[in-house]
Amino acid sequence: MPWALIAILVIVWALSFIVFKVSGALIHLLLLAAAAILIYRLVTGRRAV
């Protein structure tokens, strides 16, 4: 589930940045949230049930 969330956040960020030419802070917060989830998953090393 977290991997899907990371993928969705990165895709939405990329589409918003490329397609809509939005350079607001919200778009970069999406990427930051995806990176935070990814780092958390890698550090804890837990497997999804």
Side-chain angles (χ1 to χ4, degrees):
M1 178 67 183
W3 291 109
L5 183 60
I6 291 168
I8 290 170
L9 288 174
V10 170
I11 290 169
V12 168
W13 172 80
L15 285 175
S16 298
F17 190 69
I18 294 168
V19 175
F20 300 117
K21 302 288 185 193
V22 176
S23 61
L26 180 61
I27 301 306
H28 297 289
L29 286 176
L30 288 174
L31 182 61
L32 183 62
I37 293 169
L38 176 64
I39 291 170
Y40 175 76
R41 293 293 295 175
L42 291 175
V43 169
T44 59
R46 287 195 232 163
R47 293 276 184 194
V49 176

